Amino acid sequence: MSELTPSQTVGPYYAYGLTPEGRKRWKPGDHYKWKETVGDNLVTPDAAGERIRIEGVIYDGDGKPITDAMLEIWQADAQGRYADPRNGAALPNTSFRGFGRSATDDNGMFAFDTIKPGPVPGPGGRMQAPHIVVCIFSRGMLRQLYTRLYFADEAANAADPILSLVPADRRATLIARRETQNGKPLYRFDIRVQGEGETVFFEI
Amino acid sequence: MSLVYPTQSLSVYPKHLSPGYKSTIKRSPSKPLIPMPHTISELTGPVYGHDAIQENDNDLTRQHAAEPLGERIIVHGHILDEDKRPVPDALVELWQANACGRYVHIVDQHPAPLDPNFTGAGRTVTDKAGYYRFVTIKPGAYPWGNHYNAWRPNHIHFSVFGHSFLSRLVTQMYFPGDPLFPFDPIFNSVTDEKARNRMIASFDLENTVPNWALCYRFDIVLRGREKTPEDMD
């Protein structure tokens, strides 16, 4: 048995503690001025690359939108560099951090504004197709779920070493569709936690 | 640093489906999770330095015009990895109900008063020794709809970042001796007794401040341990 501290659910009331939107929405008395460090807009003015928006709805096993979920994303910059000095690899030469957090709204929708990531190294010297790691927390989830978001317009998906571990008939659940919204690129990525069209989650 | 994150260590975590906690029934995957090797995408993670926070972020009793009502407490401890080495510069966030057992969140309609001097959210970054410290008030117990006469034990929610995105942990800290433990399906979703007890803070008389506040110690162990020869690919 390991000596890890066990995971517990984030519960229904995390938003005012963890998200800028939540902090603004529920305030007793005078408002404490937080420095907002973790939000759903990852774009920094100095970051190069294609600016994209990601939107999706997360559904439960009854097909109902989950209105109290929290999604976190972690990604490389457009040149395939992660902003983590512990990694020993090349760092972004900008202030792009690559981490974001979004609370779902009353329609179960989450959204991120970010930069499309570049390809990064994978196992056995093979490159991985551009992707974003997605971590999901919610009431009713005693531990987080991990999945990945890939981009529909990437030919590299066909040779991606992680996508190839997923049964072919379930790969589509990890691929965000490219659309246009107000003339800007939008990737739509719906998540189904359970049942028909269930999103692939990884044991990592 | 070359850390590994064996999935075997996760055996002490709750199962995704834990039917005693009813909300898990429709919010857990029905298909097995797909195992995959850890790549650079999982082995890296966000870094938040001390510039991410401000002076009173870790003192929940000093975020408003006056002090909140309730029993003032200190909650402190170390963030550690699986080798029990400190995790420095880790962002630690917490949120909790007020002394009456009421959250400021609009969805919480428990008929107990809100406190205009208490939001119930805080955060800090660990020092070089992996140490963190909060001042807050002891949260109250509150009812919830899981089953007839269901009450959550007193708890504080914790969110912690470690050495990588795999170390990410959201958990709850409980208080020693709570009579509600046997009846709480969230606490008991952790089936191993020793693991369950690691979610209970210990009363810390040594660091209790005379005439001011009781102290509780809560150490948190995150995923990640040093690579050994047995871990070679």
Side-chain angles (χ1 to χ4, degrees):
Chain A
M1 284 287 182
S2 79
E3 297 196 29
L4 293 183
T5 303
S7 172
Q8 294 272 271
T9 180
V10 75
Y13 306 133
Y14 68 84
Y16 73 89
L18 299 183
T19 68
E21 301 81 8
R23 293 195 202 287
K24 284 181 202 127
R25 201 165 157 194
W26 301 291
K27 48 180 187 189
D30 54 318
H31 184 38
Y32 182 70
K33 297 279 185 291
W34 294 92
K35 191 169 172 180
E36 293 312 345
T37 47
V38 179
D40 56 14
N41 186 354
L42 288 72
V43 178
T44 56
D46 58 351
E50 186 182 21
R51 294 184 181 208
I52 62 169
R53 183 172 172 84
I54 295 165
E55 278 186 12
V57 175
I58 177 165
Y59 298 97
D60 72 9
D62 287 330
K64 283 193 239 161
I66 299 182
T67 58
D68 52 9
M70 178 173 88
L71 278 85
E72 291 183 346
I73 60 171
W74 172 240
Q75 65 164 97
D77 73 356
Q79 285 75 41
R81 300 173 296 204
Y82 283 99
D84 181 355
R86 296 167 298 206
N87 174 42
L91 293 170
N93 54 1
T94 67
S95 54
F96 184 75
R97 280 189 191 269
F99 178 72
R101 182 185 276 169
S102 173
T104 57
D105 65 15
D106 293 343
N107 300 309
M109 195 180 95
F110 57 89
F112 294 97
D113 291 295
T114 186
I115 302 288
K116 194 175 177 192
V120 299
R126 292 163 69 189
M127 289 302 281
Q128 303 189 64
H131 66 274
I132 293 176
V133 183
V134 179
C135 188
I136 304 162
F137 304 83
S138 170
R139 174 175 67 84
M141 292 184 188
L142 287 159
R143 54 200 278 187
Q144 64 245 36
L145 285 169
Y146 285 104
T147 186
R148 278 183 168 211
L149 180 157
Y150 287 85
F151 300 89
D153 52 334
E154 287 290 336
N157 291 344
D160 182 79
I162 303 302
L163 267 181
S164 68
L165 299 172
V166 175
D169 62 344
R170 297 189 67 200
R171 280 179 209 159
T173 67
L174 301 181
I175 297 173
R177 296 195 310 275
R178 188 176 171 108
E179 299 173 2
T180 302
Q181 187 183 65
N182 305 324
K184 292 176 189 155
L186 170 83
Y187 286 90
R188 192 162 295 285
F189 186 66
D190 291 339
I191 295 170
R192 290 175 177 78
V193 171
Q194 184 190 89
E196 196 177 333
E198 184 171 311
T199 297
V200 166
F201 300 105
F202 291 101
E203 182 189 318
I204 53 176
Chain B
M1 175 148 24
S2 194
L3 292 182
V4 293
Y5 299 84
T7 52
Q8 297 89 303
S9 298
L10 295 171
S11 63
V12 298
Y13 278 20
K15 290 192 166 43
H16 293 282
L17 175 60
S18 185
Y21 174 25
K22 285 185 184 157
S23 298
T24 66
I25 294 170
K26 295 293 181 184
R27 294 184 173 198
S28 50
S30 62
K31 294 182 163 59
L33 306 195
I34 294 184
M36 59 166 272
H38 298 159
T39 77
I40 188 173
S41 306
E42 292 76 32
L43 296 168
T44 53
V47 178
Y48 285 93
H50 293 261
D51 60 338
I53 54 164
Q54 314 163 120
E55 192 187 348
N56 283 343
D57 285 5
N58 70 340
D59 188 339
L60 286 71
T61 68
R62 298 178 62 177
Q63 295 175 350
H64 297 282
E67 277 210 86
L69 295 176
E71 180 186 343
R72 188 189 299 120
I73 58 171
I74 299 158
V75 176
H76 72 158
H78 289 83
I79 309 294
L80 305 166
D81 65 17
E82 284 180 78
D83 292 326
K84 301 293 176 69
R85 286 174 310 186
V87 181
D89 304 320
L91 179 64
V92 181
E93 300 163 288
L94 61 69
W95 69 103
Q96 62 168 88
N98 68 21
C100 302
R102 177 85 186 264
Y103 289 88
V104 296
H105 197 294
I106 194 120
V107 168
D108 186 3
Q109 292 299 313
H110 173 41
L114 286 168
D115 184 337
N117 292 311
F118 192 71
T119 307
R123 61 189 176 185
T124 191
V125 174
T126 58
D127 69 10
K128 293 293 165 223
Y131 178 76
Y132 74 88
R133 182 176 186 269
F134 289 98
V135 176
T136 184
I137 50 101
K138 190 173 180 184
Y142 59 86
W144 62 309
N146 190 72
H147 55 273
Y148 173 70
N149 214 5
W151 293 77
R152 292 300 326 282
N154 303 353
H155 63 277
I156 297 177
H157 296 267
F158 272 77
S159 158
V160 190
F161 292 79
H163 286 303
S164 78
F165 209 39
L166 294 170
S167 308
R168 187 82 181 86
L169 177 71
V170 169
T171 189
Q172 299 180 22
M173 182 202 101
Y174 299 92
F175 290 84
D178 197 311
L180 292 167
F181 285 151
F183 313 108
D184 183 48
I186 295 180
F187 178 69
N188 290 295
S189 67
V190 177
T191 54
D192 177 66
E193 187 183 0
K194 280 186 185 156
R196 209 159 53 229
N197 289 341
R198 287 197 292 275
M199 301 189 293
I200 306 174
S202 55
F203 173 59
D204 184 349
L205 181 63
E206 192 184 340
N207 290 293
T208 287
V209 178
N211 303 316
W212 194 69
L214 295 185
C215 183
Y216 291 90
R217 171 170 283 281
F218 185 53
D219 293 334
I220 297 175
V221 181
L222 304 178
R223 290 182 76 187
R225 64 166 172 78
E226 194 135 29
K227 201 169 184 173
T228 63
E230 291 79 58
D231 295 315
M232 290 306 170
D233 300 328

